[in-house]
Amino acid sequence: MSVELPFAPVDTIIRRNAGDLRVSAGAAEELARRIQTHGADLAIDAADRATADGRKTLMAADFGVEQVVDRESLELPVAPVDRIARLDIDGRYRVSMDARIALADILEDYADNVAAAAATLADHADRRTIQAEDIETYFTLFK
């Protein structure tokens, strides 16, 4: 599976949770891959909700979001998030702009949680760099 999400914003998310730790390129790549998988899974569930309501357009409410944040407040770009949303759903679905922004917000919160835990793991391992193995360990321990 190719990764739709650029690594730079993911790296930024990790860095804002890293404190004084450095971030390896592998960590950003691994987290981007995990964000993409999670986003595609959320979109499948949202598509099921839209279908149950007789709609072909995914709305923010289908992602469990009542109030959509300002797009400018997000680190993750909306266009790749839109592509992530469409990875595993039928092509007949549309994704509203509010749904794209809502999904980007959800995925950014998800990434923040993982990045903070990865920073703790790297610190615990007495390393100065967050590595892909810290991201992988998080998912081994908490999923």
Side-chain angles (χ1 to χ4, degrees):
M1 159 183 11
S2 69
V3 180
E4 298 290 334
L5 198 58
F7 299 149
V10 176
D11 181 79
T12 300
I13 292 169
I14 298 172
R15 286 180 192 284
R16 75 178 175 211
N17 289 280
D20 293 336
L21 298 174
R22 294 179 291 201
V23 178
S24 73
E29 183 177 349
E30 181 63 26
L31 184 53
R33 186 174 294 109
R34 300 289 184 145
I35 291 168
Q36 178 169 306
T37 300
H38 185 61
D41 291 344
L42 291 174
I44 291 169
D45 293 340
D48 290 343
R49 285 186 204 92
T51 299
D53 286 347
R55 291 182 282 109
K56 292 182 182 176
T57 300
L58 305 187
M59 310 298 284
D62 296 324
F63 290 98
V65 174
E66 292 180 22
Q67 185 166 346
V68 179
V69 300
D70 179 35
R71 179 180 182 170
E72 300 303 315
S73 69
L74 297 172
E75 191 66 42
L76 294 178
V78 174
V81 170
D82 179 47
R83 290 191 298 274
I84 289 168
R86 296 170 190 277
L87 282 174
D88 294 330
I89 61 174
D90 191 320
R92 65 189 164 119
Y93 289 102
R94 292 182 302 274
V95 183
S96 73
M97 181 55 75
D98 280 353
R100 295 173 201 172
I101 295 169
L103 180 57
D105 185 32
I106 291 167
L107 294 177
E108 194 161 320
D109 286 345
Y110 174 80
D112 274 323
N113 292 332
V114 174
T120 300
L121 290 167
D123 190 47
H124 181 72
D126 203 27
R127 280 187 277 102
R128 293 179 35 186
T129 304
I130 299 172
Q131 299 175 351
E133 70 186 64
D134 299 313
I135 305 293
E136 293 164 356
T137 300
Y138 169 83
F139 285 99
T140 300
L141 292 173
F142 299 108
K143 291 294 175 175

